[in-house]
Amino acid sequence: MKTFTRSRISMLYVILIVALLAFVSVSNYIASRNMESESNAIVNDAIPISKTTNSLLTDLINQETSIRGFELTGNEQYLDPYTAGKKQLEDDLNNIRIYDKKYPTLQLIMDTQAIPAITNLQRFFDSQLELIRAGKTDEARTRINSGKTMMDRYRVIHSSIEKTIVQITEDAYNSSLKAGQTSRTITMVSGIIALIAGVMSIFISFRAIHAEEELRKSEETYRYMAESLETQNEEIIAQQEEQQVTLAKLSERERDLELISSYQEKLTGYVELKDFLKHTLPALLNSLLQDAALVVMKRDPEPGNGDTGSTGSTGNPTYEVIHSIGYPKEHIRVHQDELFGPARRVFEEGTNLVHTRDVTGHEKGVHGGMMHAVDHYVPLLDDKQTVIGFLLLTSYQSSVFQENNQRLTKGLVRQFGLAFFAQVMNDERVKQAAHLAELNDELIAEKLLIEGQRDLIQNILESAHEGMMMCDSEGTILFANHRMSRYFGLNERIGENLVAGCHEIAAETPSFFGAASSIEALINGTHTHLTQRFGFVLDDQPQHAELYATVVSEDTEQQGYLFVFRDRTEEERVDEMKNEFISIVSHELRTPLASVLGFIEILLHRELPQDKQKKYMETIYKEAHRLSNLINDFLDLQRMESGRQLYHFSPINLLPTVQDIVDQWQDKQNHNIVIHRQESELWVRADADRIRQVFHNLISNAIKYSPGADRIDIYLSAANGKVVASVQDYGLGIPEEAHDQMFSKFFRVDNSDRRQIGGTGLGLAIVKEIVEGHSGQISYESKMGAGTTFRIEFDQYELSSMEGKIVIFEDDDDLAKLIQIALNKLDLPSIQLRSAEEGIIALNRCKGEPILFIVDIHLEGVKNGWDFIADLSRHPLYYQTPVIVSTALDQPHDFHEKEIQKYLKKPFSMERLVQVAKNLLDNKKSNAYVFPAQDKDSLSTTLQRNGIDVVEMKENMDMIEVEIKKPSS
């Protein structure tokens, strides 16, 4: 059996203390785990159960709200929360079943109350959705109260579940309190054990002190032996160190050679200085074992900058940090006006300088351990050994360079300086080349600008409506635009004397003599300004002109004169027309007014027989009617020329229209009007009232200017897609010199055989405006003494066929095309009609049933979309054809149509329009007229006002379907 020595007893004490400390640690760990498990019971069970039950109630409320939203609006988008809530409800029920076995009370409430109530609500929601989709909205609304009752019952059950969860939470909290008491007990026991361990540690300390005294005596015995061994060991170590120094020198030399080789490779091959510094400075720092570096360049004042140049406020040189690496950004000032200390000395002395300084701010590093820095300033020289900048190398170690590394350092820095100067010179050459290129570009741009300005001025002068000519102060012609050359050929006189040229022109054109004299007086200085009017003949036509001059560059050596030649021919013609108009109006208005006033005066002051009174009243009526027609002609022509004349285009058959007009004239004069026709129908798209006005004016003109004849022939025919109408008289004819002015306002042939024929000269001008407004043409043929034939020509209109087609009533061609493209999805033919009149004519001629009508209310022509719908509702065969009605809405005032963006002026989108059309075609038994959503009473009143009897009106989403009564015949 082993004896218990002191060392063994001490070891046992140590083991016992470690065991006691381990027991205390394990006790505390068990107590903390017990406390943690009870707390987790609250967090992991009670709180998730509470969240899940609340989520159940939220899911049911979302479903109920979604069903009500769909019930009120009919919009399928409101069912998204219903679908999401239904799926979430299933997930929440699966989550709460996890806790059933652990909490029997909760399982009992869920199985007997909550789940049956949820199941009933789900069945109720599904039945409500089926009723709404089946169109039984009223029945669904009557069941709302039942749903509310079910939700109230579930809310009561939800309250019971919440009480159960509160009870579970309280139980978990009590368990946590018990765990806390147990933990405190274990901690108290652990503390007592720790106290015992402390006492035992004191005892062990005393025993260790005694053992240490005994060991100290034995140490002195062995010290002498150790010192002798150490002396021998030092000799061996000295020999090893000598060998290591030799090996280190060889390794360092090899490393230096590698560094020099790799560094020299990075000194060449760069186009720009910034790329050179970006690659060479890191290599230099690695080679010299430095931490940071920057390069400063001296910038001398640029020539011509004076005291306010970019180099400083006093014109002194500035200093720029062109590159830095390794320093905090806030420590670097890129531009400085003046340097101090070593930085200044390196420029003045041109030698390397070393400066030691304390480190502050971010320069201390992330760990804050850098306290001192050593800066080494190396001057950078040019080819004349002048300092152009310096290289600053910074080390945050104890010294900049090791003594044994100075030779390598000097060599690398010197190589950097030479390469830097070469790169600077190359950079300067590149900048100079770029600057020269910029100057060249500026010169080219300035040249192009001057040429452009010259061309612009030339184009402005050439495009001016006035003739322009310029001469210098001596009268030498410098420039003349094409209009001035057209009048007087001055382009051929550039460089000649203007006064001599004007006198030559005056010799050929005597009326120019006054202008030539005024020009001479202006150039001689006799006159200070010039304004002259004169007339001349150009191309056998009389011309009127005004010439005025302006002094150019007055009070300068380059003084000259700009002459402007303004054509006044049109003004003279307008004045002449105005005078003629006043003459005609004064004659044509005074004559009927004189007759009216004269006969009224007789009727007022005399007693006349009944037959004379009637005769005088007829004369008054005739003259008043003549006066009214005269005023209407004035107003019509003024409206047409100002562009305010509106044409209501619709298909008209020209034959009955002309026949009706002829019938009106037959009994009012002695001429026999005969219509010659080859076709049974001649259709054109025109404004019926204006076409009647054209034929009235042509027939009136034919009767008026054929006083000696008794016949007028009207020829109507069609050929090559054109309808041609000719009105031929056998009267006076038109003189050759009057042909060019036949359609001018107020023009009347002035000769002896026409002076007794009244008129204002507006009839043919009005006819021409109306015919051209219909994209037609008018012409005439005449022979003096044999009569005149006026010929008008219109595009022939082809009547559309509706059989088996979708008919689109739309006067906007772009919108109609857009609708037709959208309807291509239905694979059905479609046509566009621009007016209700076209539709009514095509409907009456239709031999097969149309498929569908899409009707805009506002159309071309006199009639609108309501007129067509009224005619359709009275049609005995096609009244059941479905109709989609769309009312036009004005586009916004600030909207501008683009090539790729058209404003759709309808309440239906294209997709919705196609959907409605498809539904109507799929259900042909429903003779529904579809309108955009609007006030039903107002719509019903409008339908009744248009003679359409309504059977039933159904409102569906964004439209109203109307079923009409069958027509009586």
Side-chain angles (χ1 to χ4, degrees):
M1 184 175 180
K2 294 182 179 180
T3 59
F4 286 90
T5 62
R6 291 179 179 177
S7 60
R8 290 182 178 177
I9 292 173
S10 300
M11 182 62 68
L12 289 174
Y13 286 157
V14 171
I15 293 172
L16 180 61
I17 291 171
V18 170
L20 289 174
L21 292 175
F23 175 76
V24 172
S25 300
V26 170
S27 300
N28 287 331
Y29 175 78
I30 293 171
S32 64
R33 288 294 297 171
N34 187 25
M35 185 72 176
E36 181 181 357
S37 63
E38 295 301 329
S39 300
N40 288 339
I42 299 174
V43 175
N44 297 331
D45 292 342
I47 294 176
I49 293 171
S50 177
K51 289 183 178 179
T52 305
T53 54
N54 289 333
S55 179
L56 288 173
L57 180 59
T58 303
D59 297 337
L60 292 172
I61 291 173
N62 288 340
Q63 294 182 54
E64 181 185 25
T65 306
S66 178
I67 291 294
R68 289 185 183 178
F70 179 66
E71 179 182 338
L72 293 174
T73 63
N75 192 341
E76 290 285 345
Q77 293 181 352
Y78 282 93
L79 292 180
D80 294 341
Y82 171 77
T83 305
K86 192 171 184 180
K87 184 178 182 306
Q88 184 63 35
L89 182 66
E90 294 178 1
D91 296 337
D92 294 338
L93 287 174
N94 292 333
N95 291 335
I96 206 168
R97 288 193 183 99
I98 298 173
Y99 304 98
D100 285 348
K101 295 181 180 180
K102 194 171 182 180
Y103 301 102
T105 307
L106 177 63
Q107 180 183 9
L108 180 62
I109 294 175
M110 291 299 297
D111 293 341
T112 59
Q113 299 180 24
I115 293 177
I118 292 171
T119 303
N120 292 335
L121 279 171
Q122 290 295 301
R123 291 173 182 171
F124 172 76
F125 292 153
D126 293 339
S127 62
Q128 284 290 92
L129 184 59
E130 292 175 358
L131 288 173
I132 295 170
R133 285 178 171 166
K136 301 178 181 181
T137 307
D138 296 334
E139 183 179 349
R141 290 176 179 171
T142 57
R143 299 177 73 239
I144 290 176
N145 292 332
S146 299
K148 290 182 179 179
T149 304
M150 291 182 184
M151 281 299 298
D152 293 340
R153 291 175 184 171
Y154 179 78
R155 286 188 174 92
V156 173
I157 296 170
H158 181 76
S159 300
S160 301
I161 294 173
E162 288 183 335
K163 291 180 181 178
T164 303
I165 293 171
V166 170
Q167 185 62 43
I168 291 172
T169 305
E170 290 177 355
D171 293 341
Y173 177 74
N174 292 332
S175 299
S176 177
L177 292 177
K178 291 180 182 179
Q181 293 176 356
T182 303
S183 177
R184 286 193 295 272
T185 302
I186 293 173
T187 303
M188 187 180 296
V189 173
S190 299
I192 294 171
I193 293 172
L195 182 62
I196 295 171
V199 173
M200 294 180 68
S201 298
I202 295 171
F203 177 75
I204 291 171
S205 299
F206 283 118
R207 294 296 302 270
I209 292 170
H210 181 70
E212 185 178 354
E213 290 176 353
E214 291 181 355
L215 288 173
R216 190 179 299 114
K217 293 178 182 179
S218 60
E219 284 178 358
E220 293 178 357
T221 305
Y222 296 107
R223 185 177 299 165
Y224 176 75
M225 295 175 63
E227 288 178 353
S228 60
L229 291 173
E230 185 176 355
T231 302
Q232 295 176 2
N233 187 43
E234 286 178 355
E235 292 178 356
I236 296 171
I237 290 173
Q239 293 175 358
Q240 291 178 347
E241 287 179 350
E242 185 177 354
Q243 293 176 354
Q244 288 177 353
V245 168
T246 304
L247 179 62
K249 288 181 179 179
L250 293 173
S251 300
E252 184 177 356
R253 183 61 179 168
E254 182 180 1
R255 185 182 65 83
D256 291 345
L257 292 174
E258 291 178 355
L259 287 174
I260 292 171
S261 177
S262 62
Y263 176 68
Q264 287 176 342
E265 291 177 357
K266 295 182 181 292
L267 290 178
T268 57
Y270 301 102
V271 177
E272 296 184 359
L273 180 62
K274 62 179 182 180
D275 294 330
F276 168 80
L277 295 173
K278 181 179 178 182
H279 292 87
T280 56
L281 279 181
L284 182 63
L285 292 177
N286 292 333
S287 301
L288 300 180
L289 301 178
Q290 298 295 295
D291 300 313
L294 63 81
V295 177
V296 175
M297 282 287 291
K298 180 180 180 182
R299 302 297 189 189
D300 292 324
E302 296 181 4
N305 281 359
D307 294 338
T308 59
S310 61
T311 59
S313 59
T314 61
N316 295 326
T318 59
Y319 305 90
E320 178 185 357
V321 178
I322 61 175
H323 192 79
S324 66
I325 178 173
Y327 297 104
K329 290 184 179 180
E330 62 270 14
H331 284 211
I332 303 298
R333 287 177 56 194
V334 177
H335 296 282
Q336 297 189 35
D337 294 335
E338 191 173 358
L339 296 179
F340 303 93
R344 182 169 182 175
R345 288 178 56 198
V346 76
F347 278 100
E348 294 175 349
E349 301 174 10
T351 58
N352 294 3
L353 296 174
V354 179
H355 178 255
T356 304
R357 58 184 174 83
D358 293 332
V359 175
T360 60
H362 290 88
E363 207 173 6
K364 289 184 176 182
V366 178
H367 47 73
M370 299 179 188
M371 304 304 294
H372 302 285
V374 179
D375 295 332
H376 185 202
Y377 293 84
V378 179
L380 299 175
L381 308 174
D382 60 8
D383 55 346
K384 298 178 181 179
Q385 300 301 306
T386 303
V387 180
I388 59 174
F390 66 82
L391 168 67
L392 173 62
L393 299 172
T394 300
S395 173
Y396 298 105
Q397 302 172 15
S398 59
S399 62
V400 189
F401 305 115
Q402 300 295 331
E403 289 295 329
N404 56 3
N405 203 28
Q406 285 189 2
R407 185 174 59 84
L408 174 63
T409 300
K410 290 180 179 178
L412 293 180
V413 170
R414 185 172 181 276
Q415 288 182 353
F416 175 83
L418 295 174
F420 175 79
F421 176 69
Q423 192 65 44
V424 168
M425 295 305 296
N426 180 65
D427 220 38
E428 287 295 328
R429 286 193 295 271
V430 171
K431 289 181 179 179
Q432 290 175 359
H435 183 61
L436 290 175
E438 289 179 0
L439 291 176
N440 184 56
D441 292 341
E442 290 177 2
L443 288 174
I444 293 174
E446 187 173 355
K447 178 183 177 182
L448 293 175
L449 178 61
I450 293 172
E451 291 178 352
Q453 290 176 345
R454 182 198 64 197
D455 294 340
L456 177 61
I457 295 172
Q458 183 78 16
N459 291 334
I460 292 173
L461 294 176
E462 292 292 343
S463 61
H465 292 287
E466 292 80 10
M468 293 185 181
M469 183 271 298
M470 186 173 180
C471 70
D472 60 14
S473 58
E474 302 297 328
T476 303
I477 300 175
L478 303 176
F479 166 80
N481 67 356
H482 74 284
R483 287 188 178 272
M484 185 66 84
S485 298
R486 175 176 176 267
Y487 295 132
F488 301 112
L490 290 181
N491 265 356
E492 302 173 358
R493 298 176 180 268
I494 300 296
E496 297 181 7
N497 187 269
L498 176 61
V499 176
C502 288
H503 283 297
E504 292 179 11
I505 295 172
E508 299 176 1
T509 306
S511 59
F512 192 72
F513 180 78
S517 301
S518 299
I519 291 173
E520 183 178 6
L522 177 68
I523 294 176
N524 292 337
T526 307
H527 292 170
T528 57
H529 63 278
L530 184 152
T531 301
Q532 189 78 30
R533 291 186 178 184
F534 57 92
F536 62 99
V537 176
L538 180 65
D539 299 332
D540 298 329
Q541 296 293 330
Q543 302 289 327
H544 299 272
E546 180 179 12
L547 180 67
Y548 58 89
T550 304
V551 180
V552 180
S553 302
E554 189 174 5
D555 300 330
T556 65
E557 295 181 358
Q558 302 297 327
Q559 179 177 329
Y561 302 93
L562 176 65
F563 295 89
V564 180
F565 179 90
R566 189 169 66 88
D567 189 355
R568 297 184 61 258
T569 305
E570 185 64 23
E571 294 179 14
E572 292 290 338
R573 192 184 67 81
V574 170
D575 289 341
E576 183 179 349
M577 186 183 297
K578 179 181 67 175
N579 296 332
E580 186 176 356
F581 168 73
I582 293 172
S583 174
I584 292 173
V585 169
S586 62
H587 177 268
E588 293 296 329
L589 292 180
R590 286 178 179 179
T591 301
L593 280 176
S595 298
V596 170
L597 292 174
F599 284 109
I600 288 177
E601 185 178 2
I602 292 172
L603 290 172
L604 288 174
H605 297 92
R606 295 184 186 180
E607 293 292 337
L608 299 174
Q610 191 71 22
D611 56 343
K612 282 192 175 184
Q613 289 184 11
K614 182 179 179 181
K615 182 180 179 181
Y616 291 167
M617 291 297 292
E618 289 175 352
T619 303
I620 292 171
Y621 172 76
K622 183 177 68 174
E623 294 298 330
H625 190 266
R626 176 184 169 189
L627 187 60
S628 175
N629 289 337
L630 179 64
I631 294 172
N632 287 336
D633 285 346
F634 287 147
L635 296 177
D636 286 344
L637 188 60
Q638 189 273 337
R639 187 166 53 248
M640 292 174 187
E641 289 186 338
S642 63
R644 298 198 303 270
Q645 177 65 51
L646 297 178
Y647 295 103
H648 301 285
F649 291 100
S650 62
I652 62 172
N653 188 355
L654 207 57
L655 294 177
T657 301
V658 175
Q659 185 64 57
D660 181 55
I661 296 169
V662 168
D663 292 342
Q664 295 178 30
W665 280 95
Q666 291 287 17
D667 299 333
K668 296 182 179 179
Q669 38 74 40
N670 297 324
H671 290 72
N672 181 29
I673 305 175
V674 181
I675 299 176
H676 305 271
R677 60 183 182 180
Q678 300 173 353
E679 309 289 340
S680 58
E681 292 183 339
L682 292 173
W683 291 92
V684 295
R685 279 188 76 255
D687 186 318
D689 291 337
R690 294 304 167 193
I691 289 297
R692 296 176 70 88
Q693 186 177 4
V694 167
F695 281 97
H696 272 297
N697 283 1
L698 290 178
I699 293 173
S700 172
N701 199 64
I703 293 171
K704 188 186 303 181
Y705 288 98
S706 59
D710 60 355
R711 178 185 176 88
I712 293 174
D713 290 318
I714 299 177
Y715 298 91
L716 300 174
S717 62
N720 300 323
K722 300 289 184 180
V723 173
V724 180
S726 300
V727 179
Q728 182 177 2
D729 65 58
Y730 304 93
L732 303 175
I734 301 172
E736 185 71 25
E737 64 273 10
H739 282 195
D740 293 339
Q741 303 183 60
M742 279 304 298
F743 298 106
S744 300
K745 294 183 293 182
F746 310 117
F747 176 75
R748 300 176 67 226
V749 178
D750 186 15
N751 54 34
S752 59
D753 59 355
R754 288 172 170 80
R755 288 176 184 169
Q756 302 303 320
I757 301 175
T760 60
L762 295 177
L764 290 178
I766 293 173
V767 169
K768 185 174 183 295
E769 290 288 342
I770 294 175
V771 171
E772 291 179 350
H774 285 70
S775 301
Q777 296 178 354
I778 183 170
S779 60
Y780 68 92
E781 296 177 358
S782 181
K783 186 177 180 181
M784 285 296 294
T788 303
T789 301
F790 282 91
R791 185 176 183 270
I792 56 175
E793 184 179 288
F794 299 105
D795 291 331
Q796 188 172 10
Y797 175 75
E798 295 292 337
L799 292 175
S800 302
S801 174
M802 296 182 175
E803 291 87 345
K805 297 178 182 177
I806 298 175
V807 184
I808 303 168
F809 284 87
E810 179 58 63
D811 56 357
D812 187 333
D813 294 335
D814 292 334
L815 184 54
K817 185 176 180 180
L818 184 62
I819 294 174
Q820 286 179 308
I821 292 173
L823 293 175
N824 286 341
K825 297 179 182 179
L826 303 178
D827 294 328
L828 294 171
S830 61
I831 61 170
Q832 175 197 1
L833 299 181
R834 300 175 59 86
S835 65
E837 289 86 349
E838 295 177 70
I840 294 171
I841 294 170
L843 183 66
N844 293 331
R845 291 169 170 261
C846 192
K847 297 180 180 180
E849 183 177 3
I851 298 176
L852 172 69
F853 293 108
I854 300 176
V855 183
D856 183 17
I857 297 301
H858 302 290
L859 300 169
E860 285 185 354
V862 178
K863 296 184 178 181
N864 56 31
W866 287 118
D867 297 311
F868 172 78
I869 294 172
D871 271 46
L872 177 64
S873 67
R874 294 190 292 269
H875 198 282
L877 298 178
Y878 308 138
Y879 74 96
Q880 289 185 331
T881 305
V883 177
I884 300 175
V885 180
S886 180
T887 55
L889 301 177
D890 292 334
Q891 66 187 25
H893 294 296
D894 57 348
F895 182 88
H896 299 285
E897 286 192 349
K898 301 177 182 176
E899 199 61 36
I900 59 173
Q901 180 184 8
K902 297 294 182 182
Y903 183 80
L904 185 60
K905 302 186 294 183
K906 307 295 166 188
F908 291 128
S909 66
M910 289 297 99
E911 292 78 7
R912 182 60 178 153
L913 182 66
V914 174
Q915 180 185 356
V916 173
K918 188 176 185 303
N919 293 339
L920 288 174
L921 296 176
D922 291 343
N923 188 14
K924 292 185 177 180
K925 294 182 180 180
S926 173
N927 56 321
Y929 287 10
V930 177
F931 295 84
Q934 54 189 287
D935 184 67
K936 292 172 64 175
D937 294 336
S938 175
L939 178 59
S940 178
T941 302
T942 303
L943 292 170
Q944 294 291 341
R945 186 170 61 249
N946 286 277
I948 303 173
D949 296 327
V950 178
V951 175
E952 184 181 2
M953 299 180 71
K954 296 180 182 179
E955 191 169 1
N956 182 14
M957 293 181 64
D958 58 345
M959 62 183 184
I960 299 175
E961 296 183 5
V962 179
E963 186 176 353
I964 67 170
K965 288 184 180 180
K966 181 178 180 180
S968 57
S969 60

